[in-house]
Amino acid sequence: MPETIIGKILVVDDEVELKNALVEALSAQSFDVAGFTSPVAALEALRTQSFDVLLSDLMMPEMGGIQLVKEALIIDPNLIAIIMTGQGTIQTAVDAMKAGTFDYVLKPFRLQAVMPVLTRAINTRRLRLENLQLRETVAIYELCQTIAFTLDPQTIISKLADAALQQTQADEVSVLLPNEEGNELYVAAVRGENRQRLLGERVPLETSISGWVARSREALILDGEINDERFKALWPHPEIRSAISVPMQIANKLVGIININAIECARPFTLGQTKALAILASTAAAALESASLYSKVREAEDNYRSIFENSIEGIFQSTPEGRFLAANPALAGILGYDSPEDLIKMVTDIGRQIYVHPQERARSNEIANENGGLIQHFELEAYRKDQQKIWISLNRRSINDENGEPLYWEGSVEDITERKRAENALRESEERYRDLVENAHDIIYSHDLEGNYTSINKAGEAITGYTVAEALQMNLKDTVEAEDYVKVLEMMKRKLAGESVTAYEIEIIAKNGRHVPLEVNTKYVYQNGVAVGVQGIARDVTERRNLEEQLRQSQKMEAIGQLAGGVAHDFNNLLTAINGYSSLALQRVDDDSPIKPYLEEVKKAGDRAANLTRQLLAFGRKQILQPLALDLNSVVSDMNKMLRRLIGEDIALAAKLAPDLRKIKADPGQVEQVLVNLVVNARDAMPTGGSLTIETANVHLDQDYASRHVGIQPGRFVMLAVSDTGSGMDEATRARIFEPFFTTKEKGKGTGLGLSTVYGIVQQSGGSIWVYSEPNQGTSFKVYLPELRSDASANVVESTIDVIESGSETILLVEDEEVVRGLTTNILEGAGYHVIAASGGAEAAKLCADRNEPIDLLLTDVVMPRTSGKEVAEQLTKMQPGLKVLFMSGYTDEAIVHHGVLDANVEFIQKPFTPVGLLKKIREVLDKTNDDRS
C-alpha cells in the first residue's frame, strides 16, 4: 500500500549539507520535499508546481528569506511560508510576519521541534484551499441565486463576470456573445481596470483567440507570450501572465465565451480553476439560454398582446352559444361599445343582439360545419350598440377538445361599411356610366388591336343602322371608307408611339349605304402596361358640316355685298353727273332739236343704270329703308291682282294667309319688291304652268333651329313663303342663287339681280331667307321677318313730287367728286340759290369762318376722304348754331344711318338724284322749322 503524502514542502537553504539533511529528514516523515540552494531557482519551481509550505533560510547571499517569501506569495497567495534563522531577533520576526510569514524556527533545531510547526502549517494550507473552494462554490451559488430571481440576460452576464472574478481571483474578466448572424462575437461585459472601453467591440471568429474557442468548443489556458499559429491576440496585452478562455454552451449550442486574465499573479491558472470556471460558464449558459427562451416567449406574448390590443380588426373568442369570452378594443369600437369589458358584459346573445338577420348566424354555422369549423369572409349586417346598422366581414374557426367537440370559437371581424358604400357607389357609377354611354348622342365604341368591334352604344346603332350583334361581327374595314381606313391606322400608330393626336375626321358607310362624316377621338386601353384595345368616341358632324357650309356661304354673300355696295356707290357719283347734266340739257334744247332724242336716250340709259345700282345697294344692304308697322296679309291682298297679271293665266295662284298674323316693321316698298321678285322667279321656273302658293304664318324659331342655321337668333317671327311646282334646283344651284348676276336663264332673259335684291332687303330688315328645293320637285322660299313688339311706326317719306319753287338762300355745298360738285352747283344756281362750293371739310370750315353773313343750308356728301360729312356737320353747326343740314351719298355711312334705317332727325337724299328731286328736297328742308325737325 503506497505511503500517504502529508504535504508538499519547498526547502530553500544556501548551505547544501543543511538543505540535503532537511530534505532527507522531512521525506522520511511522509512529506513530498523539493530542495533548492538558490532562491531564484526555487521561485521558478513554484511557478510550475504547487507547494503547500515554503521552508526558507533567512540569510542567503542571492536573495534574503523575507524577500523570497514576498516573491513566493505573489506566485501563490495561499502558500504557507516558514523562516529558519540562527541569529534572529524580535525585529527579524516582526519583519518576517509583515512579509506574510506563517512562523519561524531557530537553528539549530531538532526535527521533533519543527514538526508541530509544519503540522500547523499544513493544516492552515488546507483551510486556505478549502476557503478557495468555498469561494468557487459561493460564486456559483450567487450566480444561481441571480438566475433564480431574474431572467434578464444583461443581469446574468454581469453576475457571471463578478462570479468569475471572485472564483479565480483574476485581474480581468470579459464575456463575449455571438451576434444574431453568428458570424462574429461582441463584448457584452468586462471587469478590470480600463476595460470598459472594450464594451460592444466586435471580435471576428476567424483569427481571434475567442473565435478559436467558439469554433472548437474547447477551453484554452495560455501562459505568457502568445505564439500559436491557430490564432493571434486581437488586442495584444504583454502584462498578461496567464489566461483562460472557456466556451459557454448548452446542448452543443454556443451561448458565449468567458475570458479571464491574470496580471498581478505570477503563477499560471490551474486545470482545477479551468474546470471550476467551466462549471460557472455552463451554469451561466443554461441561464442565458433560459433567459433567451423566456425573452422570445415574452416577446411573442407581447407581440400577440400588441396585435390583439392594437389591431384595427376586431378579434374575439366566443362560446358556441353566443357569448363573448374575450374581445379586443377594435371589436368594441366597431360595435360601438365603450370597452371590451363593456361589450363582454352587455352582449349575452350574439345572434340576437349583433346580427341584423339572426338566421345569418345559423347559415354561418352551416358553412363552418361544412368546412371543418372554418368560415372566411362571411359578410353580414350587424347592429352597433346604438342600433345603427353596419356591414362586417367575419373570419372564424372552432377550437375543439380531444373528442372534436367545440370548446370555443375565435376569429376576427372587419368593418366593411365603407367598402360596401364604395361598392354601391361604384355600382351606381357604373349604372350612370352605362346610362351615359347608352343615352349619349355620340357613338361610343371599342375594338381590339385587329380592328374587331367589341362594343357599341345605342347611338352607334342609330347612326350606322347596325345592331350591336351585327356590329360585334364586324371589323373597322367593314364600316370605314377605304381611303379613311389608312388614316385610322396611321392615327393608331402615332398614338401608340406616344404622340398627342387630337380628333380627326373620317367617313363611315352606314348599313343603308349612306356616307356619314364622323369626328373621331380614340385612346388605347392598357393592361399591365400593354395595349390590348382601343376606345373611341365618334360624333356625327353632318349637321356641323351643313352649318359650316352655311357660314361659308354667308361670309361669301357678305363679301360680295360689300363689293357690290362699294361699286354702286362709286357708280352713283357718275350716274348723278350723267343724269343731272342730261336733265339740264333737255331743259335747254328745243323740242324740235335733232339732238333731243339722243339726250332722251342718254337719260333713259342713266335711269336704267340708276335702277341697277339701287338693286346692288339693296343686295349690299346699303339702301335707305323707310320702315312702318306693316301687315303682310294686307300687302299680299293689295298686290293680288297685279301678281295675277304678272304670272299669267296658266299658273294657279293660291294665298294661305294666317288670320291672326302679327305685324312686322319694314319698308312697304321693299317688302313689295321682295314679293314681286320671288313671284317672278317662281313664274320663270314654271314655263308650262303650275301652281304658286303664297303663305303667311306666325312662327317661333327655337334654339335648336337657330343652332342649325347660321345667323338666326331664336325668337318670334312672321313668315312669308312663296312655293312653286316648277323645275326646282340642284344643290350646286341652290348654293349660288343669291349671288349677284348669277342666273340660270338664257342670255338676255335676266340680270341675275332679282334674288340678290331679295336677299339684301331681307337681311337689311333683320330677317333671314331660306330656300328648299330639289330637281323637278319645285321650290319654296321662306322669308322670316322679326315681329313688331309695338305698333310704333317709323317716319314715312312722301314720294309725291310737288311743284318746285326756286329759292334765294345761301347753301354751302361740300362734295369731293368734282363732276358731282359742278353739276349740283349748276342745278342750285339755276334755281336761284347762292352756292358756296368746297371740296372737303377743312375748306368748308374755312369758308364758313371767313363769312360774316349766315349760311342757310349745309349740303354735304357723307363719305369723303379725311373728314366725313357727319364730322363737317358737327363742326359747322358749332360755328353756326341752327344751321340746317342735308346729307347725300351713294350709300349710307353707319355714323349717319344705322343699318340703312333713316334716323328721325337726319335729312338725307340718295344718289343718283334728279335736279327736280334735289330741288324739292332742299326746299323741303329749308321750309321745315326747328320745331318740325325735333
Side-chain angles (χ1 to χ4, degrees), residues 302-354:
D302 289 344
N303 288 340
Y304 174 77
R305 177 55 57 184
S306 176
I307 292 172
F308 185 80
E309 294 293 335
N310 300 313
S311 173
I312 60 173
E313 291 187 355
I315 302 175
F316 69 91
Q317 289 179 342
S318 67
T319 67
E321 293 75 28
R323 287 193 67 109
F324 285 114
L325 298 174
N328 69 339
L331 181 61
I334 290 172
L335 296 176
Y337 290 85
D338 297 333
S339 65
E341 294 76 18
D342 185 33
L343 172 64
I344 294 170
K345 178 181 178 181
M346 297 190 67
V347 177
T348 58
D349 188 338
I350 294 174
R352 182 175 56 83
Q353 292 176 258
I354 301 298

Short mmCIF file of all heavy atoms in Angstrom, two decimals, residues 302-354:
data_model
loop_
_atom_site.label_atom_id
_atom_site.label_comp_id
_atom_site.label_asym_id
_atom_site.label_seq_id
_atom_site.Cartn_x
_atom_site.Cartn_y
_atom_site.Cartn_z
N ASP A 302 -45.94 39.41 -26.02
CA ASP A 302 -46.11 40.85 -26.17
C ASP A 302 -46.61 41.19 -27.57
O ASP A 302 -47.47 42.06 -27.75
CB ASP A 302 -44.80 41.58 -25.89
CG ASP A 302 -44.43 41.53 -24.41
OD1 ASP A 302 -45.32 41.22 -23.60
OD2 ASP A 302 -43.26 41.82 -24.09
N ASN A 303 -46.03 40.49 -28.55
CA ASN A 303 -46.47 40.73 -29.92
C ASN A 303 -47.94 40.36 -30.09
O ASN A 303 -48.71 41.09 -30.73
CB ASN A 303 -45.61 39.93 -30.90
CG ASN A 303 -44.21 40.49 -31.03
OD1 ASN A 303 -43.98 41.66 -30.70
ND2 ASN A 303 -43.28 39.69 -31.50
N TYR A 304 -48.29 39.19 -29.56
CA TYR A 304 -49.69 38.78 -29.66
C TYR A 304 -50.59 39.77 -28.95
O TYR A 304 -51.64 40.16 -29.46
CB TYR A 304 -49.87 37.38 -29.05
CG TYR A 304 -51.32 36.96 -28.99
CD1 TYR A 304 -51.99 36.53 -30.13
CD2 TYR A 304 -52.04 37.03 -27.79
CE1 TYR A 304 -53.33 36.17 -30.08
CE2 TYR A 304 -53.36 36.68 -27.74
CZ TYR A 304 -54.01 36.24 -28.88
OH TYR A 304 -55.33 35.90 -28.83
N ARG A 305 -50.16 40.16 -27.73
CA ARG A 305 -50.97 41.11 -26.97
C ARG A 305 -51.05 42.45 -27.71
O ARG A 305 -52.11 43.08 -27.77
CB ARG A 305 -50.35 41.29 -25.58
CG ARG A 305 -51.05 42.32 -24.69
CD ARG A 305 -52.52 42.03 -24.54
NE ARG A 305 -52.77 40.70 -24.00
CZ ARG A 305 -53.98 40.20 -23.84
NH1 ARG A 305 -55.06 40.88 -24.20
NH2 ARG A 305 -54.14 38.98 -23.35
N SER A 306 -49.91 42.85 -28.30
CA SER A 306 -49.90 44.11 -29.05
C SER A 306 -50.82 44.01 -30.26
O SER A 306 -51.59 44.94 -30.55
CB SER A 306 -48.48 44.44 -29.50
OG SER A 306 -48.46 45.59 -30.31
N ILE A 307 -50.73 42.86 -30.96
CA ILE A 307 -51.62 42.66 -32.11
C ILE A 307 -53.06 42.66 -31.65
O ILE A 307 -53.94 43.29 -32.25
CB ILE A 307 -51.26 41.34 -32.82
CG1 ILE A 307 -49.89 41.45 -33.50
CG2 ILE A 307 -52.34 40.99 -33.86
CD1 ILE A 307 -49.37 40.15 -34.05
N PHE A 308 -53.31 41.95 -30.57
CA PHE A 308 -54.67 41.84 -30.04
C PHE A 308 -55.20 43.21 -29.63
O PHE A 308 -56.33 43.58 -29.96
CB PHE A 308 -54.66 40.89 -28.85
CG PHE A 308 -56.03 40.61 -28.28
CD1 PHE A 308 -56.88 39.69 -28.89
CD2 PHE A 308 -56.49 41.27 -27.14
CE1 PHE A 308 -58.14 39.44 -28.38
CE2 PHE A 308 -57.74 41.01 -26.61
CZ PHE A 308 -58.58 40.10 -27.24
N GLU A 309 -54.35 43.99 -28.93
CA GLU A 309 -54.81 45.27 -28.40
C GLU A 309 -54.83 46.36 -29.47
O GLU A 309 -55.69 47.25 -29.44
CB GLU A 309 -53.90 45.71 -27.24
CG GLU A 309 -53.97 44.82 -26.03
CD GLU A 309 -55.32 44.87 -25.34
OE1 GLU A 309 -56.02 45.89 -25.47
OE2 GLU A 309 -55.69 43.89 -24.67
N ASN A 310 -53.90 46.31 -30.41
CA ASN A 310 -53.74 47.41 -31.36
C ASN A 310 -54.24 47.11 -32.76
O ASN A 310 -54.16 47.96 -33.64
CB ASN A 310 -52.26 47.83 -31.44
CG ASN A 310 -51.73 48.27 -30.10
OD1 ASN A 310 -52.36 49.06 -29.41
ND2 ASN A 310 -50.57 47.74 -29.71
N SER A 311 -54.72 45.90 -32.98
CA SER A 311 -55.22 45.55 -34.32
C SER A 311 -56.41 46.43 -34.69
O SER A 311 -57.23 46.80 -33.85
CB SER A 311 -55.64 44.07 -34.34
OG SER A 311 -56.27 43.77 -35.57
N ILE A 312 -56.45 46.80 -35.97
CA ILE A 312 -57.60 47.58 -36.45
C ILE A 312 -58.78 46.65 -36.74
O ILE A 312 -59.90 47.12 -36.95
CB ILE A 312 -57.24 48.38 -37.71
CG1 ILE A 312 -56.80 47.46 -38.84
CG2 ILE A 312 -56.17 49.41 -37.42
CD1 ILE A 312 -56.59 48.17 -40.16
N GLU A 313 -58.52 45.36 -36.77
CA GLU A 313 -59.60 44.40 -36.92
C GLU A 313 -60.05 43.92 -35.54
O GLU A 313 -59.26 43.83 -34.61
CB GLU A 313 -59.14 43.18 -37.75
CG GLU A 313 -58.88 43.47 -39.21
CD GLU A 313 -58.61 42.20 -39.99
OE1 GLU A 313 -58.53 41.13 -39.36
OE2 GLU A 313 -58.49 42.29 -41.22
N GLY A 314 -61.32 43.65 -35.43
CA GLY A 314 -61.83 43.11 -34.19
C GLY A 314 -61.43 41.66 -34.01
O GLY A 314 -61.55 40.86 -34.95
N ILE A 315 -60.92 41.29 -32.84
CA ILE A 315 -60.51 39.92 -32.54
C ILE A 315 -61.31 39.45 -31.31
O ILE A 315 -61.47 40.22 -30.35
CB ILE A 315 -59.00 39.84 -32.27
CG1 ILE A 315 -58.22 40.37 -33.49
CG2 ILE A 315 -58.59 38.40 -31.95
CD1 ILE A 315 -56.73 40.44 -33.26
N PHE A 316 -61.77 38.21 -31.35
CA PHE A 316 -62.64 37.76 -30.26
C PHE A 316 -62.49 36.26 -30.02
O PHE A 316 -61.97 35.51 -30.85
CB PHE A 316 -64.10 38.07 -30.60
CG PHE A 316 -64.62 37.23 -31.74
CD1 PHE A 316 -65.25 36.00 -31.51
CD2 PHE A 316 -64.47 37.64 -33.07
CE1 PHE A 316 -65.72 35.23 -32.56
CE2 PHE A 316 -64.93 36.87 -34.11
CZ PHE A 316 -65.56 35.67 -33.87
N GLN A 317 -62.98 35.86 -28.87
CA GLN A 317 -63.26 34.45 -28.56
C GLN A 317 -64.69 34.42 -28.03
O GLN A 317 -65.10 35.30 -27.26
CB GLN A 317 -62.30 33.92 -27.50
CG GLN A 317 -60.88 33.72 -27.99
CD GLN A 317 -59.96 33.20 -26.91
OE1 GLN A 317 -60.28 33.28 -25.72
NE2 GLN A 317 -58.81 32.65 -27.31
N SER A 318 -65.43 33.42 -28.46
CA SER A 318 -66.83 33.34 -28.02
C SER A 318 -67.24 31.89 -27.84
O SER A 318 -66.61 30.98 -28.39
CB SER A 318 -67.75 34.01 -29.05
OG SER A 318 -67.77 33.27 -30.26
N THR A 319 -68.30 31.70 -27.08
CA THR A 319 -68.84 30.36 -26.89
C THR A 319 -69.74 30.02 -28.08
O THR A 319 -70.28 30.91 -28.73
CB THR A 319 -69.67 30.29 -25.61
OG1 THR A 319 -70.84 31.10 -25.78
CG2 THR A 319 -68.87 30.78 -24.42
N PRO A 320 -69.90 28.73 -28.37
CA PRO A 320 -70.83 28.35 -29.45
C PRO A 320 -72.25 28.83 -29.18
O PRO A 320 -73.03 29.01 -30.12
CB PRO A 320 -70.74 26.82 -29.47
CG PRO A 320 -69.41 26.50 -28.88
CD PRO A 320 -69.16 27.56 -27.84
N GLU A 321 -72.57 29.07 -27.90
CA GLU A 321 -73.94 29.52 -27.58
C GLU A 321 -74.15 31.00 -27.88
O GLU A 321 -75.29 31.45 -27.98
CB GLU A 321 -74.23 29.25 -26.10
CG GLU A 321 -74.30 27.78 -25.73
CD GLU A 321 -72.92 27.13 -25.67
OE1 GLU A 321 -71.94 27.88 -25.39
OE2 GLU A 321 -72.82 25.91 -25.92
N GLY A 322 -73.05 31.77 -27.99
CA GLY A 322 -73.23 33.15 -28.37
C GLY A 322 -72.86 34.18 -27.33
O GLY A 322 -73.43 35.28 -27.32
N ARG A 323 -71.86 33.89 -26.48
CA ARG A 323 -71.36 34.90 -25.54
C ARG A 323 -69.88 35.14 -25.83
O ARG A 323 -69.14 34.21 -26.17
CB ARG A 323 -71.52 34.44 -24.09
CG ARG A 323 -72.91 34.45 -23.56
CD ARG A 323 -72.91 34.29 -22.04
NE ARG A 323 -72.31 35.45 -21.40
CZ ARG A 323 -73.01 36.36 -20.70
NH1 ARG A 323 -74.33 36.22 -20.58
NH2 ARG A 323 -72.42 37.38 -20.14
N PHE A 324 -69.46 36.40 -25.67
CA PHE A 324 -68.05 36.73 -25.87
C PHE A 324 -67.26 36.31 -24.65
O PHE A 324 -67.64 36.59 -23.51
CB PHE A 324 -67.87 38.23 -26.11
CG PHE A 324 -68.29 38.68 -27.49
CD1 PHE A 324 -69.37 39.53 -27.66
CD2 PHE A 324 -67.59 38.25 -28.61
CE1 PHE A 324 -69.76 39.95 -28.91
CE2 PHE A 324 -67.97 38.67 -29.87
CZ PHE A 324 -69.06 39.52 -30.03
N LEU A 325 -66.13 35.62 -24.89
CA LEU A 325 -65.19 35.28 -23.82
C LEU A 325 -64.07 36.31 -23.74
O LEU A 325 -63.57 36.62 -22.66
CB LEU A 325 -64.59 33.89 -24.07
CG LEU A 325 -65.59 32.73 -24.09
CD1 LEU A 325 -64.88 31.44 -24.49
CD2 LEU A 325 -66.27 32.58 -22.72
N ALA A 326 -63.67 36.81 -24.89
CA ALA A 326 -62.62 37.83 -24.96
C ALA A 326 -62.88 38.68 -26.20
O ALA A 326 -63.42 38.20 -27.19
CB ALA A 326 -61.23 37.19 -25.02
N ALA A 327 -62.45 39.94 -26.10
CA ALA A 327 -62.61 40.86 -27.23
C ALA A 327 -61.56 41.95 -27.12
O ALA A 327 -61.16 42.34 -26.02
CB ALA A 327 -64.02 41.47 -27.25
N ASN A 328 -61.09 42.41 -28.25
CA ASN A 328 -60.09 43.48 -28.22
C ASN A 328 -60.77 44.84 -28.39
O ASN A 328 -61.96 44.93 -28.73
CB ASN A 328 -59.02 43.25 -29.29
CG ASN A 328 -59.54 43.44 -30.70
OD1 ASN A 328 -60.74 43.36 -30.93
ND2 ASN A 328 -58.65 43.68 -31.64
N PRO A 329 -60.03 45.93 -28.15
CA PRO A 329 -60.62 47.27 -28.27
C PRO A 329 -61.20 47.55 -29.65
O PRO A 329 -62.20 48.27 -29.77
CB PRO A 329 -59.45 48.20 -27.95
CG PRO A 329 -58.55 47.39 -27.08
CD PRO A 329 -58.65 46.00 -27.60
N ALA A 330 -60.55 47.02 -30.70
CA ALA A 330 -61.05 47.29 -32.05
C ALA A 330 -62.46 46.74 -32.25
O ALA A 330 -63.32 47.40 -32.84
CB ALA A 330 -60.10 46.69 -33.09
N LEU A 331 -62.73 45.53 -31.73
CA LEU A 331 -64.06 44.94 -31.86
C LEU A 331 -65.08 45.78 -31.10
O LEU A 331 -66.19 46.04 -31.58
CB LEU A 331 -64.07 43.50 -31.35
CG LEU A 331 -65.43 42.78 -31.48
CD1 LEU A 331 -65.86 42.69 -32.93
CD2 LEU A 331 -65.37 41.40 -30.85
N ALA A 332 -64.69 46.23 -29.89
CA ALA A 332 -65.60 47.08 -29.11
C ALA A 332 -65.90 48.36 -29.88
O ALA A 332 -67.05 48.82 -29.93
CB ALA A 332 -64.98 47.40 -27.75
N GLY A 333 -64.85 48.95 -30.51
CA GLY A 333 -65.06 50.17 -31.28
C GLY A 333 -65.94 49.96 -32.49
O GLY A 333 -66.81 50.78 -32.80
N ILE A 334 -65.73 48.84 -33.20
CA ILE A 334 -66.53 48.55 -34.39
C ILE A 334 -68.00 48.43 -34.03
O ILE A 334 -68.87 48.94 -34.74
CB ILE A 334 -66.01 47.26 -35.06
CG1 ILE A 334 -64.64 47.50 -35.70
CG2 ILE A 334 -67.01 46.76 -36.11
CD1 ILE A 334 -63.97 46.24 -36.21
N LEU A 335 -68.27 47.78 -32.89
CA LEU A 335 -69.66 47.55 -32.49
C LEU A 335 -70.20 48.67 -31.61
O LEU A 335 -71.33 48.57 -31.11
CB LEU A 335 -69.78 46.21 -31.78
CG LEU A 335 -69.44 44.98 -32.65
CD1 LEU A 335 -69.50 43.71 -31.83
CD2 LEU A 335 -70.39 44.89 -33.85
N GLY A 336 -69.39 49.73 -31.39
CA GLY A 336 -69.89 50.92 -30.70
C GLY A 336 -69.92 50.83 -29.20
O GLY A 336 -70.63 51.62 -28.56
N TYR A 337 -69.15 49.92 -28.60
CA TYR A 337 -69.13 49.80 -27.14
C TYR A 337 -67.92 50.56 -26.59
O TYR A 337 -66.91 50.75 -27.27
CB TYR A 337 -69.09 48.33 -26.72
CG TYR A 337 -70.41 47.62 -26.99
CD1 TYR A 337 -70.68 47.07 -28.25
CD2 TYR A 337 -71.39 47.53 -26.01
CE1 TYR A 337 -71.88 46.44 -28.52
CE2 TYR A 337 -72.60 46.90 -26.27
CZ TYR A 337 -72.84 46.37 -27.53
OH TYR A 337 -74.04 45.75 -27.78
N ASP A 338 -68.03 50.96 -25.32
CA ASP A 338 -67.00 51.80 -24.71
C ASP A 338 -65.69 51.06 -24.52
O ASP A 338 -64.62 51.65 -24.60
CB ASP A 338 -67.49 52.34 -23.36
CG ASP A 338 -68.71 53.23 -23.51
OD1 ASP A 338 -68.86 53.83 -24.59
OD2 ASP A 338 -69.51 53.32 -22.56
N SER A 339 -65.76 49.75 -24.25
CA SER A 339 -64.56 48.97 -23.97
C SER A 339 -64.87 47.50 -24.21
O SER A 339 -66.04 47.11 -24.31
CB SER A 339 -64.12 49.18 -22.51
OG SER A 339 -65.10 48.65 -21.64
N PRO A 340 -63.81 46.67 -24.31
CA PRO A 340 -64.07 45.23 -24.44
C PRO A 340 -64.89 44.68 -23.27
O PRO A 340 -65.76 43.82 -23.46
CB PRO A 340 -62.66 44.62 -24.47
CG PRO A 340 -61.80 45.72 -25.01
CD PRO A 340 -62.38 46.97 -24.47
N GLU A 341 -64.61 45.19 -22.05
CA GLU A 341 -65.35 44.73 -20.88
C GLU A 341 -66.84 45.06 -21.01
O GLU A 341 -67.71 44.25 -20.66
CB GLU A 341 -64.77 45.36 -19.61
CG GLU A 341 -63.35 44.93 -19.27
CD GLU A 341 -62.30 45.58 -20.15
OE1 GLU A 341 -62.61 46.61 -20.79
OE2 GLU A 341 -61.17 45.07 -20.21
N ASP A 342 -67.10 46.27 -21.54
CA ASP A 342 -68.49 46.69 -21.75
C ASP A 342 -69.18 45.77 -22.75
O ASP A 342 -70.33 45.35 -22.57
CB ASP A 342 -68.50 48.14 -22.26
CG ASP A 342 -69.90 48.69 -22.40
OD1 ASP A 342 -70.78 48.31 -21.61
OD2 ASP A 342 -70.12 49.52 -23.31
N LEU A 343 -68.47 45.42 -23.83
CA LEU A 343 -69.02 44.53 -24.85
C LEU A 343 -69.31 43.14 -24.27
O LEU A 343 -70.40 42.58 -24.46
CB LEU A 343 -68.03 44.42 -26.02
CG LEU A 343 -68.34 43.38 -27.09
CD1 LEU A 343 -69.62 43.72 -27.83
CD2 LEU A 343 -67.18 43.28 -28.09
N ILE A 344 -68.33 42.57 -23.54
CA ILE A 344 -68.49 41.22 -22.99
C ILE A 344 -69.64 41.18 -21.99
O ILE A 344 -70.41 40.21 -21.94
CB ILE A 344 -67.17 40.77 -22.35
CG1 ILE A 344 -66.09 40.61 -23.42
CG2 ILE A 344 -67.35 39.46 -21.59
CD1 ILE A 344 -64.70 40.39 -22.87
N LYS A 345 -69.75 42.25 -21.22
CA LYS A 345 -70.79 42.29 -20.18
C LYS A 345 -72.18 42.45 -20.79
O LYS A 345 -73.15 41.78 -20.34
CB LYS A 345 -70.50 43.45 -19.22
CG LYS A 345 -71.54 43.61 -18.12
CD LYS A 345 -71.18 44.79 -17.23
CE LYS A 345 -72.24 45.01 -16.16
NZ LYS A 345 -71.92 46.17 -15.29
N MET A 346 -72.34 43.30 -21.81
CA MET A 346 -73.68 43.66 -22.29
C MET A 346 -74.22 42.71 -23.35
O MET A 346 -75.43 42.57 -23.51
CB MET A 346 -73.67 45.09 -22.83
CG MET A 346 -73.34 46.14 -21.77
SD MET A 346 -73.61 47.82 -22.35
CE MET A 346 -75.40 47.82 -22.50
N VAL A 347 -73.34 42.08 -24.12
CA VAL A 347 -73.81 41.18 -25.18
C VAL A 347 -73.88 39.77 -24.63
O VAL A 347 -72.85 39.11 -24.38
CB VAL A 347 -72.90 41.24 -26.42
CG1 VAL A 347 -73.36 40.24 -27.47
CG2 VAL A 347 -72.87 42.64 -27.00
N THR A 348 -75.09 39.30 -24.46
CA THR A 348 -75.30 37.94 -23.92
C THR A 348 -75.79 36.96 -24.97
O THR A 348 -75.81 35.76 -24.74
CB THR A 348 -76.31 38.00 -22.77
OG1 THR A 348 -77.54 38.55 -23.26
CG2 THR A 348 -75.78 38.87 -21.63
N ASP A 349 -76.21 37.48 -26.11
CA ASP A 349 -76.70 36.63 -27.20
C ASP A 349 -76.27 37.28 -28.52
O ASP A 349 -76.89 38.21 -29.01
CB ASP A 349 -78.21 36.48 -27.15
CG ASP A 349 -78.72 35.44 -28.16
OD1 ASP A 349 -78.00 35.16 -29.15
OD2 ASP A 349 -79.82 34.91 -27.95
N ILE A 350 -75.15 36.80 -29.07
CA ILE A 350 -74.59 37.42 -30.28
C ILE A 350 -75.58 37.37 -31.44
O ILE A 350 -75.77 38.35 -32.16
CB ILE A 350 -73.26 36.72 -30.66
CG1 ILE A 350 -72.21 36.98 -29.58
CG2 ILE A 350 -72.78 37.18 -32.03
CD1 ILE A 350 -70.92 36.23 -29.80
N GLY A 351 -76.22 36.24 -31.61
CA GLY A 351 -77.14 36.09 -32.73
C GLY A 351 -78.29 37.08 -32.67
O GLY A 351 -78.71 37.62 -33.70
N ARG A 352 -78.81 37.33 -31.49
CA ARG A 352 -79.96 38.21 -31.35
C ARG A 352 -79.56 39.69 -31.26
O ARG A 352 -80.23 40.55 -31.80
CB ARG A 352 -80.76 37.82 -30.10
CG ARG A 352 -82.02 38.65 -29.86
CD ARG A 352 -82.81 38.12 -28.67
NE ARG A 352 -81.98 38.08 -27.47
CZ ARG A 352 -81.78 39.16 -26.67
NH1 ARG A 352 -82.34 40.32 -26.97
NH2 ARG A 352 -81.03 39.06 -25.59
N GLN A 353 -78.42 39.97 -30.59
CA GLN A 353 -78.05 41.35 -30.33
C GLN A 353 -77.13 41.94 -31.41
O GLN A 353 -77.11 43.15 -31.59
CB GLN A 353 -77.35 41.47 -28.96
CG GLN A 353 -78.28 41.20 -27.79
CD GLN A 353 -77.52 41.24 -26.48
OE1 GLN A 353 -77.20 40.21 -25.91
NE2 GLN A 353 -77.23 42.44 -26.00
N ILE A 354 -76.37 41.12 -32.09
CA ILE A 354 -75.41 41.63 -33.08
C ILE A 354 -75.92 41.45 -34.50
O ILE A 354 -75.85 42.37 -35.32
CB ILE A 354 -74.04 40.92 -32.93
CG1 ILE A 354 -73.49 41.16 -31.52
CG2 ILE A 354 -73.06 41.40 -33.98
CD1 ILE A 354 -73.23 42.62 -31.18
#
